[in-house]
Amino acid sequence: MARLDLSNIRHIYGPPGEGEPQYALRHVNQAFEHGGAYALLGPSGCGKTTLLNIISGLVHPSEGRVRIDGVDVTDKPTEKRNIAQVFQFPVIYDTMTVRENLEFPLRNRGVAAAQIKRRVDEVIEMIGLGALARRRARGLSADEKQKVSLGRGLVREDVSAILFDEPLTVIDPEVKWTLRTQLRELQRRSGMTMIYVTHDQTEALTFASGVVVMHEGQVLQVGSPKDLFEKPAHTFVGYFIGSPGMNVLPTKVDGAALRIGEYFAPLTSEPRLRGNPKLELGIRPEFVRLAAEGIPATIERIEDIGRHRIVRTRMLGHSVTALLQEHEPIPADPHLYFEPEGVHLYADSWRVELSGKPAP
Ligand code: ATP
């Protein structure tokens, strides 16, 4: 178990080219607390793997420092960091049996035979490899091999942290769910610091208590699934988390309300703004109601998803999505009403915190 600190991390691959530098990581300051379950979540190319590899030591950052329990390890190689990493594709020895593959990292460190047996039995049981324990790895299917690889990452009890880079991609969807739940359970029981990279929000939200949302080489927000849903710090987080994502519309501030065309959406208090930022209103589809009064809209499409209906509308030239409960009626002449507690203001894409008290 350990606390990991990344300070002022920037990274560029290869030699500096002409023009603007292409940062894989632009500026990352991030702490991973002792015993936390984290997910690095973001679209392909946002820098998740780079960040993970900087923690494990596979990549040396162009700038910034990495600390484990306060000790600077930036210049230390992977094997001196005491970190286990599980990759997207299996890393195992084909000629060994499943059991031998799991024993290997422990034997290598001179762990006593009885302890190896106990721990390997435990891991075999946890990932459901019992029936395959004596089989050579060569003949296994892709998802069986990945389970072995996962087991190799989990088998050491002395590691500071375990890093997972999309470890369940090649695994069958049903088995995936079970394995993720087991990983989470193991994390709770062992109190190990775990960081799990994924671009799948369901995977991130079900695994982690701290979700780190990344975009274009930056961390935009770190929070619980609830924080990310209720208070997206950046318009991208609102759009990326949630299904469907948050609606984002251009707006103007008018006292303690936001103006959209000639219509108003009330805020809980008057915002304080500096300069002349680009202003946007963000509202999740869950907080958009279809009413007889409000802002006139036309319905473009209705998608029935069981308990809810996703209603795609057009309002003053903008697309706005509403999420309706099964029983909620759709008026013949629909207008949109934004529930005030769901209305957020964004200045240059960042959320403006309102005091919550009514404006004086
Ligand atoms: P994915 O989910 O697709 O793995 P990611 O979020 O993990 O993406 P990274 O793999 O960290 O993102 O990549 C971040 C940026 O760095 C991308 O623009 C990528 O093209 C670039 N990049 C990654 N590895 C290298 C490399 N070895 N050489 C040059 N550029 C690289």
Side-chain angles (χ1 to χ4, degrees):
M1 280 195 292
R3 177 190 157 98
L4 310 172
D5 283 286
L6 304 176
S7 45
N8 301 316
I9 298 286
R10 304 182 115 200
H11 191 69
I12 305 177
Y13 284 100
E18 301 266 301
E20 274 291 294
Q22 293 295 313
Y23 283 103
L25 291 175
R26 287 203 275 164
H27 194 191
V28 176
N29 280 301
Q30 179 62 41
F32 297 93
E33 301 291 342
H34 196 76
Y38 293 92
L40 297 185
L41 174 67
S44 185
C46 71
K48 305 179 294 293
T49 299
T50 305
L51 196 64
L52 209 67
N53 289 343
I54 285 176
I55 298 173
S56 66
L58 289 175
V59 170
H60 190 281
S62 311
E63 291 174 40
R65 310 308 295 173
V66 181
R67 289 186 184 79
I68 301 181
D69 283 337
V71 177
D72 192 325
V73 296
T74 321
D75 301 320
K76 286 196 176 162
T78 309
E79 57 280 10
K80 293 271 166 64
R81 296 193 187 192
N82 216 16
I83 281 178
Q85 189 164 1
V86 179
F87 299 91
Q88 190 170 2
F89 298 101
V91 180
I92 55 171
Y93 295 103
D94 268 354
T95 52
M96 292 185 188
T97 65
V98 168
R99 176 172 272 278
E100 285 162 351
N101 261 289
L102 298 181
E103 287 170 350
F104 190 77
L106 302 180
R107 278 196 205 291
N108 235 355
R109 279 166 188 81
V111 176
Q115 202 179 330
I116 295 181
K117 178 164 184 336
R118 178 192 59 77
R119 184 59 182 164
V120 169
D121 282 346
E122 220 172 76
V123 172
I124 283 181
E125 160 80 32
M126 190 180 77
I127 25 189
L129 285 172
L132 302 174
R134 290 158 185 272
R135 289 261 304 273
R136 294 228 174 270
R138 185 184 293 128
L140 302 179
S141 66
D143 64 345
E144 287 166 345
K145 283 187 180 178
Q146 182 61 340
K147 279 194 192 179
V148 179
S149 192
L150 195 61
R152 283 169 53 99
L154 298 173
V155 80
R156 285 175 58 199
E157 291 172 283
D158 62 336
V159 290
S160 303
I162 310 185
L163 314 181
F164 301 94
D165 193 352
E166 309 230 15
L168 306 181
T169 311
V170 294
I171 295 203
D172 182 76
E174 254 176 64
V175 183
K176 205 179 206 173
W177 195 83
T178 318
L179 277 179
R180 198 170 58 231
T181 316
Q182 282 167 337
L183 269 186
R184 181 73 177 113
E185 184 51 34
L186 174 84
Q187 196 281 331
R188 279 207 191 99
R189 265 195 291 136
S190 66
M192 270 187 197
T193 311
M194 291 191 186
I195 307 177
Y196 189 107
V197 162
T198 178
H199 60 265
D200 176 338
Q201 59 164 305
T202 314
E203 211 157 287
L205 300 177
T206 50
F207 174 78
S209 48
V211 180
V212 179
V213 184
M214 296 183 66
H215 182 50
E216 294 180 346
Q218 277 193 95
V219 171
L220 297 182
Q221 186 170 10
V222 185
S224 65
K226 187 170 182 282
D227 297 334
L228 302 178
F229 185 83
E230 290 180 358
K231 292 186 172 181
H234 189 278
T235 47
F236 179 80
V237 178
Y239 155 80
F240 193 68
I241 307 278
S243 182
M246 185 171 78
N247 298 294
V248 178
L249 309 164
T251 190
K252 291 197 170 94
V253 170
D254 197 331
L258 296 182
R259 183 197 268 272
I260 315 149
E262 63 200 85
Y263 299 91
F264 292 93
L267 289 170
T268 48
S269 66
E270 189 170 339
R272 293 209 174 87
L273 296 168
R274 278 201 215 118
N276 190 20
K278 176 182 77 171
L279 296 176
E280 286 163 309
L281 178 159
I283 183 152
R284 290 206 174 272
E286 287 78 354
F287 294 94
V288 178
R289 302 269 71 82
L290 257 64
E293 285 176 27
I295 313 176
T298 50
I299 293 177
E300 297 198 314
R301 206 166 71 240
I302 301 176
E303 295 155 38
D304 200 331
I305 51 162
R307 294 233 191 115
H308 296 99
R309 278 179 294 174
I310 300 173
V311 184
R312 312 273 181 191
T313 75
R314 193 110 197 125
M315 181 205 86
L316 306 177
H318 305 290
S319 300
V320 178
T321 302
L323 190 69
L324 265 52
Q325 304 287 336
E326 207 175 12
H327 58 81
E328 272 186 83
I330 298 179
D333 179 19
H335 292 66
L336 300 187
Y337 171 72
F338 295 166
E339 291 182 16
E341 70 269 31
V343 176
H344 304 283
L345 171 63
Y346 291 87
D348 289 337
S349 307
W350 292 95
R351 183 170 177 275
V352 177
E353 190 65 55
L354 300 169
S355 71
K357 292 183 209 121

PDB file of all heavy atoms in Angstrom, residues 11-14 22-25 41-53 59 88 165-166 197-199 214 217, ligand 1:
ATOM      1  N   HIS A  11       4.567  15.472 -20.587  1.00  0.00           N
ATOM      2  CA  HIS A  11       5.297  14.498 -21.376  1.00  0.00           C
ATOM      3  C   HIS A  11       5.132  14.719 -22.864  1.00  0.00           C
ATOM      4  O   HIS A  11       4.033  14.930 -23.361  1.00  0.00           O
ATOM      5  CB  HIS A  11       4.878  13.067 -21.024  1.00  0.00           C
ATOM      6  CG  HIS A  11       5.795  12.059 -21.618  1.00  0.00           C
ATOM      7  ND1 HIS A  11       7.093  11.915 -21.196  1.00  0.00           N
ATOM      8  CD2 HIS A  11       5.651  11.216 -22.666  1.00  0.00           C
ATOM      9  CE1 HIS A  11       7.703  11.010 -21.929  1.00  0.00           C
ATOM     10  NE2 HIS A  11       6.844  10.580 -22.838  1.00  0.00           N
ATOM     11  N   ILE A  12       6.269  14.663 -23.555  1.00  0.00           N
ATOM     12  CA  ILE A  12       6.285  14.709 -25.030  1.00  0.00           C
ATOM     13  C   ILE A  12       7.041  13.466 -25.479  1.00  0.00           C
ATOM     14  O   ILE A  12       8.125  13.185 -24.956  1.00  0.00           O
ATOM     15  CB  ILE A  12       7.054  15.947 -25.561  1.00  0.00           C
ATOM     16  CG1 ILE A  12       6.483  17.229 -24.974  1.00  0.00           C
ATOM     17  CG2 ILE A  12       7.007  15.988 -27.084  1.00  0.00           C
ATOM     18  CD1 ILE A  12       7.236  18.486 -25.406  1.00  0.00           C
ATOM     19  N   TYR A  13       6.476  12.714 -26.433  1.00  0.00           N
ATOM     20  CA  TYR A  13       7.190  11.550 -26.972  1.00  0.00           C
ATOM     21  C   TYR A  13       8.159  12.032 -28.047  1.00  0.00           C
ATOM     22  O   TYR A  13       7.798  12.889 -28.856  1.00  0.00           O
ATOM     23  CB  TYR A  13       6.214  10.551 -27.591  1.00  0.00           C
ATOM     24  CG  TYR A  13       5.466   9.731 -26.558  1.00  0.00           C
ATOM     25  CD1 TYR A  13       4.168  10.064 -26.193  1.00  0.00           C
ATOM     26  CD2 TYR A  13       6.059   8.636 -25.955  1.00  0.00           C
ATOM     27  CE1 TYR A  13       3.473   9.313 -25.250  1.00  0.00           C
ATOM     28  CE2 TYR A  13       5.391   7.883 -25.017  1.00  0.00           C
ATOM     29  CZ  TYR A  13       4.098   8.217 -24.672  1.00  0.00           C
ATOM     30  OH  TYR A  13       3.428   7.473 -23.745  1.00  0.00           O
ATOM     31  N   GLY A  14       9.334  11.488 -28.063  1.00  0.00           N
ATOM     32  CA  GLY A  14      10.305  11.760 -29.123  1.00  0.00           C
ATOM     33  C   GLY A  14      10.920  13.136 -28.999  1.00  0.00           C
ATOM     34  O   GLY A  14      10.609  13.890 -28.073  1.00  0.00           O
ATOM     35  N   GLN A  22       3.772  18.837 -29.041  1.00  0.00           N
ATOM     36  CA  GLN A  22       2.605  17.954 -28.936  1.00  0.00           C
ATOM     37  C   GLN A  22       2.691  17.192 -27.608  1.00  0.00           C
ATOM     38  O   GLN A  22       3.343  16.155 -27.528  1.00  0.00           O
ATOM     39  CB  GLN A  22       2.572  16.941 -30.099  1.00  0.00           C
ATOM     40  CG  GLN A  22       2.336  17.573 -31.465  1.00  0.00           C
ATOM     41  CD  GLN A  22       0.955  18.206 -31.568  1.00  0.00           C
ATOM     42  OE1 GLN A  22      -0.045  17.598 -31.201  1.00  0.00           O
ATOM     43  NE2 GLN A  22       0.893  19.440 -32.048  1.00  0.00           N
ATOM     44  N   TYR A  23       2.051  17.723 -26.585  1.00  0.00           N
ATOM     45  CA  TYR A  23       2.120  17.093 -25.271  1.00  0.00           C
ATOM     46  C   TYR A  23       1.167  15.907 -25.180  1.00  0.00           C
ATOM     47  O   TYR A  23      -0.027  16.056 -25.424  1.00  0.00           O
ATOM     48  CB  TYR A  23       1.751  18.103 -24.183  1.00  0.00           C
ATOM     49  CG  TYR A  23       2.860  19.072 -23.862  1.00  0.00           C
ATOM     50  CD1 TYR A  23       2.823  20.377 -24.330  1.00  0.00           C
ATOM     51  CD2 TYR A  23       3.946  18.660 -23.098  1.00  0.00           C
ATOM     52  CE1 TYR A  23       3.855  21.259 -24.042  1.00  0.00           C
ATOM     53  CE2 TYR A  23       4.978  19.543 -22.810  1.00  0.00           C
ATOM     54  CZ  TYR A  23       4.929  20.831 -23.277  1.00  0.00           C
ATOM     55  OH  TYR A  23       5.946  21.697 -22.994  1.00  0.00           O
ATOM     56  N   ALA A  24       1.695  14.725 -24.818  1.00  0.00           N
ATOM     57  CA  ALA A  24       0.815  13.594 -24.514  1.00  0.00           C
ATOM     58  C   ALA A  24       0.182  13.850 -23.141  1.00  0.00           C
ATOM     59  O   ALA A  24      -0.942  13.474 -22.872  1.00  0.00           O
ATOM     60  CB  ALA A  24       1.606  12.297 -24.509  1.00  0.00           C
ATOM     61  N   LEU A  25       0.956  14.510 -22.249  1.00  0.00           N
ATOM     62  CA  LEU A  25       0.422  14.990 -20.965  1.00  0.00           C
ATOM     63  C   LEU A  25       0.810  16.451 -20.845  1.00  0.00           C
ATOM     64  O   LEU A  25       1.982  16.800 -21.018  1.00  0.00           O
ATOM     65  CB  LEU A  25       0.999  14.184 -19.797  1.00  0.00           C
ATOM     66  CG  LEU A  25       0.539  12.743 -19.703  1.00  0.00           C
ATOM     67  CD1 LEU A  25       1.276  12.025 -18.588  1.00  0.00           C
ATOM     68  CD2 LEU A  25      -0.966  12.636 -19.476  1.00  0.00           C
ATOM     69  N   LEU A  41     -10.120   7.636 -16.507  1.00  0.00           N
ATOM     70  CA  LEU A  41     -11.148   7.503 -17.537  1.00  0.00           C
ATOM     71  C   LEU A  41     -11.015   8.626 -18.559  1.00  0.00           C
ATOM     72  O   LEU A  41     -10.871   9.788 -18.186  1.00  0.00           O
ATOM     73  CB  LEU A  41     -12.528   7.573 -16.853  1.00  0.00           C
ATOM     74  CG  LEU A  41     -13.764   7.606 -17.739  1.00  0.00           C
ATOM     75  CD1 LEU A  41     -13.937   6.284 -18.492  1.00  0.00           C
ATOM     76  CD2 LEU A  41     -15.026   7.871 -16.906  1.00  0.00           C
ATOM     77  N   GLY A  42     -11.112   8.263 -19.838  1.00  0.00           N
ATOM     78  CA  GLY A  42     -11.063   9.299 -20.871  1.00  0.00           C
ATOM     79  C   GLY A  42     -11.031   8.650 -22.233  1.00  0.00           C
ATOM     80  O   GLY A  42     -10.764   7.456 -22.348  1.00  0.00           O
ATOM     81  N   PRO A  43     -11.265   9.436 -23.287  1.00  0.00           N
ATOM     82  CA  PRO A  43     -11.294   8.858 -24.632  1.00  0.00           C
ATOM     83  C   PRO A  43      -9.906   8.424 -25.079  1.00  0.00           C
ATOM     84  O   PRO A  43      -8.898   8.819 -24.480  1.00  0.00           O
ATOM     85  CB  PRO A  43     -11.810  10.012 -25.498  1.00  0.00           C
ATOM     86  CG  PRO A  43     -11.526  11.254 -24.734  1.00  0.00           C
ATOM     87  CD  PRO A  43     -11.511  10.883 -23.276  1.00  0.00           C
ATOM     88  N   SER A  44      -9.859   7.657 -26.145  1.00  0.00           N
ATOM     89  CA  SER A  44      -8.607   7.153 -26.678  1.00  0.00           C
ATOM     90  C   SER A  44      -7.657   8.318 -26.993  1.00  0.00           C
ATOM     91  O   SER A  44      -8.077   9.323 -27.559  1.00  0.00           O
ATOM     92  CB  SER A  44      -8.943   6.367 -27.948  1.00  0.00           C
ATOM     93  OG  SER A  44      -7.797   5.777 -28.424  1.00  0.00           O
ATOM     94  N   GLY A  45      -6.418   8.179 -26.567  1.00  0.00           N
ATOM     95  CA  GLY A  45      -5.404   9.195 -26.891  1.00  0.00           C
ATOM     96  C   GLY A  45      -5.305  10.329 -25.881  1.00  0.00           C
ATOM     97  O   GLY A  45      -4.505  11.246 -26.058  1.00  0.00           O
ATOM     98  N   CYS A  46      -6.078  10.281 -24.788  1.00  0.00           N
ATOM     99  CA  CYS A  46      -6.055  11.408 -23.838  1.00  0.00           C
ATOM    100  C   CYS A  46      -4.860  11.340 -22.883  1.00  0.00           C
ATOM    101  O   CYS A  46      -4.621  12.267 -22.125  1.00  0.00           O
ATOM    102  CB  CYS A  46      -7.364  11.486 -23.054  1.00  0.00           C
ATOM    103  SG  CYS A  46      -7.547  10.170 -21.859  1.00  0.00           S
ATOM    104  N   GLY A  47      -4.125  10.226 -22.890  1.00  0.00           N
ATOM    105  CA  GLY A  47      -2.907  10.171 -22.078  1.00  0.00           C
ATOM    106  C   GLY A  47      -2.968   9.217 -20.891  1.00  0.00           C
ATOM    107  O   GLY A  47      -2.070   9.226 -20.046  1.00  0.00           O
ATOM    108  N   LYS A  48      -3.979   8.352 -20.836  1.00  0.00           N
ATOM    109  CA  LYS A  48      -4.150   7.450 -19.678  1.00  0.00           C
ATOM    110  C   LYS A  48      -2.965   6.490 -19.547  1.00  0.00           C
ATOM    111  O   LYS A  48      -2.376   6.355 -18.473  1.00  0.00           O
ATOM    112  CB  LYS A  48      -5.454   6.632 -19.811  1.00  0.00           C
ATOM    113  CG  LYS A  48      -6.694   7.467 -20.011  1.00  0.00           C
ATOM    114  CD  LYS A  48      -7.933   6.605 -20.158  1.00  0.00           C
ATOM    115  CE  LYS A  48      -8.016   5.723 -21.378  1.00  0.00           C
ATOM    116  NZ  LYS A  48      -8.139   6.420 -22.672  1.00  0.00           N
ATOM    117  N   THR A  49      -2.636   5.815 -20.664  1.00  0.00           N
ATOM    118  CA  THR A  49      -1.556   4.830 -20.618  1.00  0.00           C
ATOM    119  C   THR A  49      -0.225   5.516 -20.319  1.00  0.00           C
ATOM    120  O   THR A  49       0.585   4.999 -19.546  1.00  0.00           O
ATOM    121  CB  THR A  49      -1.476   4.057 -21.954  1.00  0.00           C
ATOM    122  OG1 THR A  49      -2.730   3.401 -22.118  1.00  0.00           O
ATOM    123  CG2 THR A  49      -0.370   3.048 -21.979  1.00  0.00           C
ATOM    124  N   THR A  50      -0.030   6.690 -20.894  1.00  0.00           N
ATOM    125  CA  THR A  50       1.216   7.428 -20.633  1.00  0.00           C
ATOM    126  C   THR A  50       1.340   7.704 -19.135  1.00  0.00           C
ATOM    127  O   THR A  50       2.396   7.475 -18.537  1.00  0.00           O
ATOM    128  CB  THR A  50       1.222   8.747 -21.443  1.00  0.00           C
ATOM    129  OG1 THR A  50       1.020   8.434 -22.815  1.00  0.00           O
ATOM    130  CG2 THR A  50       2.519   9.508 -21.261  1.00  0.00           C
ATOM    131  N   LEU A  51       0.241   8.143 -18.528  1.00  0.00           N
ATOM    132  CA  LEU A  51       0.282   8.455 -17.099  1.00  0.00           C
ATOM    133  C   LEU A  51       0.585   7.195 -16.270  1.00  0.00           C
ATOM    134  O   LEU A  51       1.401   7.219 -15.347  1.00  0.00           O
ATOM    135  CB  LEU A  51      -1.062   9.062 -16.675  1.00  0.00           C
ATOM    136  CG  LEU A  51      -1.057   9.778 -15.339  1.00  0.00           C
ATOM    137  CD1 LEU A  51      -0.140  10.990 -15.407  1.00  0.00           C
ATOM    138  CD2 LEU A  51      -2.447  10.259 -14.954  1.00  0.00           C
ATOM    139  N   LEU A  52      -0.050   6.082 -16.643  1.00  0.00           N
ATOM    140  CA  LEU A  52       0.166   4.831 -15.923  1.00  0.00           C
ATOM    141  C   LEU A  52       1.635   4.388 -16.041  1.00  0.00           C
ATOM    142  O   LEU A  52       2.253   3.990 -15.053  1.00  0.00           O
ATOM    143  CB  LEU A  52      -0.761   3.759 -16.521  1.00  0.00           C
ATOM    144  CG  LEU A  52      -1.208   2.678 -15.581  1.00  0.00           C
ATOM    145  CD1 LEU A  52      -2.114   3.261 -14.512  1.00  0.00           C
ATOM    146  CD2 LEU A  52      -1.958   1.580 -16.324  1.00  0.00           C
ATOM    147  N   ASN A  53       2.151   4.497 -17.272  1.00  0.00           N
ATOM    148  CA  ASN A  53       3.539   4.078 -17.502  1.00  0.00           C
ATOM    149  C   ASN A  53       4.548   4.991 -16.807  1.00  0.00           C
ATOM    150  O   ASN A  53       5.642   4.559 -16.456  1.00  0.00           O
ATOM    151  CB  ASN A  53       3.830   4.008 -19.004  1.00  0.00           C
ATOM    152  CG  ASN A  53       3.116   2.831 -19.655  1.00  0.00           C
ATOM    153  OD1 ASN A  53       2.666   1.909 -18.966  1.00  0.00           O
ATOM    154  ND2 ASN A  53       2.976   2.860 -20.961  1.00  0.00           N
ATOM    155  N   VAL A  59       7.866   4.721 -18.580  1.00  0.00           N
ATOM    156  CA  VAL A  59       8.127   5.968 -19.300  1.00  0.00           C
ATOM    157  C   VAL A  59       8.681   6.991 -18.310  1.00  0.00           C
ATOM    158  O   VAL A  59       8.145   7.130 -17.211  1.00  0.00           O
ATOM    159  CB  VAL A  59       6.813   6.496 -19.944  1.00  0.00           C
ATOM    160  CG1 VAL A  59       6.977   7.909 -20.489  1.00  0.00           C
ATOM    161  CG2 VAL A  59       6.319   5.556 -21.043  1.00  0.00           C
ATOM    162  N   GLN A  88      -3.164  -4.605 -21.227  1.00  0.00           N
ATOM    163  CA  GLN A  88      -4.376  -4.935 -21.982  1.00  0.00           C
ATOM    164  C   GLN A  88      -4.280  -6.334 -22.603  1.00  0.00           C
ATOM    165  O   GLN A  88      -5.267  -7.022 -22.742  1.00  0.00           O
ATOM    166  CB  GLN A  88      -4.520  -3.876 -23.077  1.00  0.00           C
ATOM    167  CG  GLN A  88      -5.820  -3.917 -23.786  1.00  0.00           C
ATOM    168  CD  GLN A  88      -5.984  -2.693 -24.687  1.00  0.00           C
ATOM    169  OE1 GLN A  88      -5.096  -1.842 -24.785  1.00  0.00           O
ATOM    170  NE2 GLN A  88      -7.102  -2.602 -25.341  1.00  0.00           N
ATOM    171  N   ASP A 165      -4.115  -1.670 -17.013  1.00  0.00           N
ATOM    172  CA  ASP A 165      -4.344  -0.909 -18.236  1.00  0.00           C
ATOM    173  C   ASP A 165      -5.375  -1.642 -19.086  1.00  0.00           C
ATOM    174  O   ASP A 165      -5.040  -2.572 -19.805  1.00  0.00           O
ATOM    175  CB  ASP A 165      -3.022  -0.744 -18.997  1.00  0.00           C
ATOM    176  CG  ASP A 165      -3.145   0.303 -20.091  1.00  0.00           C
ATOM    177  OD1 ASP A 165      -4.271   0.775 -20.345  1.00  0.00           O
ATOM    178  OD2 ASP A 165      -2.117   0.652 -20.701  1.00  0.00           O
ATOM    179  N   GLU A 166      -6.610  -1.244 -18.996  1.00  0.00           N
ATOM    180  CA  GLU A 166      -7.728  -1.873 -19.712  1.00  0.00           C
ATOM    181  C   GLU A 166      -7.577  -3.400 -19.684  1.00  0.00           C
ATOM    182  O   GLU A 166      -7.536  -4.036 -20.731  1.00  0.00           O
ATOM    183  CB  GLU A 166      -7.771  -1.383 -21.171  1.00  0.00           C
ATOM    184  CG  GLU A 166      -7.720   0.122 -21.278  1.00  0.00           C
ATOM    185  CD  GLU A 166      -8.788   0.736 -22.154  1.00  0.00           C
ATOM    186  OE1 GLU A 166      -9.762   0.037 -22.472  1.00  0.00           O
ATOM    187  OE2 GLU A 166      -8.656   1.910 -22.478  1.00  0.00           O
ATOM    188  N   VAL A 197      -7.130   1.774 -15.661  1.00  0.00           N
ATOM    189  CA  VAL A 197      -7.332   2.618 -16.851  1.00  0.00           C
ATOM    190  C   VAL A 197      -8.457   2.057 -17.709  1.00  0.00           C
ATOM    191  O   VAL A 197      -8.495   0.855 -17.975  1.00  0.00           O
ATOM    192  CB  VAL A 197      -6.038   2.654 -17.696  1.00  0.00           C
ATOM    193  CG1 VAL A 197      -6.322   3.123 -19.113  1.00  0.00           C
ATOM    194  CG2 VAL A 197      -5.019   3.557 -17.052  1.00  0.00           C
ATOM    195  N   THR A 198      -9.349   2.917 -18.125  1.00  0.00           N
ATOM    196  CA  THR A 198     -10.413   2.462 -19.017  1.00  0.00           C
ATOM    197  C   THR A 198     -10.990   3.640 -19.786  1.00  0.00           C
ATOM    198  O   THR A 198     -10.859   4.783 -19.379  1.00  0.00           O
ATOM    199  CB  THR A 198     -11.529   1.738 -18.230  1.00  0.00           C
ATOM    200  OG1 THR A 198     -12.563   1.362 -19.132  1.00  0.00           O
ATOM    201  CG2 THR A 198     -12.134   2.600 -17.128  1.00  0.00           C
ATOM    202  N   HIS A 199     -11.617   3.345 -20.940  1.00  0.00           N
ATOM    203  CA  HIS A 199     -12.338   4.431 -21.624  1.00  0.00           C
ATOM    204  C   HIS A 199     -13.832   4.183 -21.503  1.00  0.00           C
ATOM    205  O   HIS A 199     -14.638   4.860 -22.110  1.00  0.00           O
ATOM    206  CB  HIS A 199     -11.889   4.562 -23.086  1.00  0.00           C
ATOM    207  CG  HIS A 199     -12.133   3.327 -23.887  1.00  0.00           C
ATOM    208  ND1 HIS A 199     -11.179   2.371 -24.083  1.00  0.00           N
ATOM    209  CD2 HIS A 199     -13.233   2.889 -24.501  1.00  0.00           C
ATOM    210  CE1 HIS A 199     -11.687   1.397 -24.791  1.00  0.00           C
ATOM    211  NE2 HIS A 199     -12.933   1.679 -25.066  1.00  0.00           N
ATOM    212  N   MET A 214      -9.869  12.305 -17.719  1.00  0.00           N
ATOM    213  CA  MET A 214      -8.815  12.952 -18.509  1.00  0.00           C
ATOM    214  C   MET A 214      -9.306  13.310 -19.903  1.00  0.00           C
ATOM    215  O   MET A 214     -10.172  12.641 -20.465  1.00  0.00           O
ATOM    216  CB  MET A 214      -7.610  12.008 -18.632  1.00  0.00           C
ATOM    217  CG  MET A 214      -6.949  11.722 -17.301  1.00  0.00           C
ATOM    218  SD  MET A 214      -5.496  10.693 -17.496  1.00  0.00           S
ATOM    219  CE  MET A 214      -4.401  11.778 -18.409  1.00  0.00           C
ATOM    220  N   GLY A 217      -4.637  15.162 -22.563  1.00  0.00           N
ATOM    221  CA  GLY A 217      -3.426  15.274 -21.749  1.00  0.00           C
ATOM    222  C   GLY A 217      -3.592  16.022 -20.444  1.00  0.00           C
ATOM    223  O   GLY A 217      -2.605  16.408 -19.823  1.00  0.00           O
TER     224      GLY A 217
HETATM  225  P1  ATP B   1      -5.794   4.582 -25.532  1.00  0.00           P
HETATM  226  O1  ATP B   1      -7.046   4.460 -24.720  1.00  0.00           O
HETATM  227  O2  ATP B   1      -6.046   4.601 -27.011  1.00  0.00           O
HETATM  228  O3  ATP B   1      -4.709   3.636 -25.108  1.00  0.00           O
HETATM  229  P2  ATP B   1      -4.618   6.677 -23.930  1.00  0.00           P
HETATM  230  O4  ATP B   1      -5.569   7.609 -23.316  1.00  0.00           O
HETATM  231  O5  ATP B   1      -4.032   5.612 -23.109  1.00  0.00           O
HETATM  232  O6  ATP B   1      -5.226   6.078 -25.260  1.00  0.00           O
HETATM  233  P3  ATP B   1      -1.895   7.342 -24.617  1.00  0.00           P
HETATM  234  O7  ATP B   1      -1.652   5.983 -25.196  1.00  0.00           O
HETATM  235  O8  ATP B   1      -1.258   7.678 -23.340  1.00  0.00           O
HETATM  236  O9  ATP B   1      -3.457   7.617 -24.518  1.00  0.00           O
HETATM  237  O10 ATP B   1      -1.472   8.418 -25.714  1.00  0.00           O
HETATM  238  C1  ATP B   1      -1.468   9.828 -25.494  1.00  0.00           C
HETATM  239  C2  ATP B   1      -0.888  10.517 -26.727  1.00  0.00           C
HETATM  240  O11 ATP B   1       0.475  10.172 -26.888  1.00  0.00           O
HETATM  241  C3  ATP B   1      -1.570  10.136 -28.038  1.00  0.00           C
HETATM  242  O12 ATP B   1      -1.634  11.260 -28.861  1.00  0.00           O
HETATM  243  C4  ATP B   1      -0.650   9.094 -28.621  1.00  0.00           C
HETATM  244  O13 ATP B   1      -0.729   9.087 -30.032  1.00  0.00           O
HETATM  245  C5  ATP B   1       0.715   9.562 -28.142  1.00  0.00           C
HETATM  246  N1  ATP B   1       1.632   8.425 -27.933  1.00  0.00           N
HETATM  247  C6  ATP B   1       1.447   7.372 -27.086  1.00  0.00           C
HETATM  248  N2  ATP B   1       2.509   6.540 -27.105  1.00  0.00           N
HETATM  249  C7  ATP B   1       3.379   7.081 -27.982  1.00  0.00           C
HETATM  250  C8  ATP B   1       4.675   6.701 -28.450  1.00  0.00           C
HETATM  251  N3  ATP B   1       5.290   5.603 -27.994  1.00  0.00           N
HETATM  252  N4  ATP B   1       5.274   7.502 -29.359  1.00  0.00           N
HETATM  253  C9  ATP B   1       4.687   8.622 -29.806  1.00  0.00           C
HETATM  254  N5  ATP B   1       3.468   9.046 -29.413  1.00  0.00           N
HETATM  255  C10 ATP B   1       2.831   8.294 -28.518  1.00  0.00           C
END
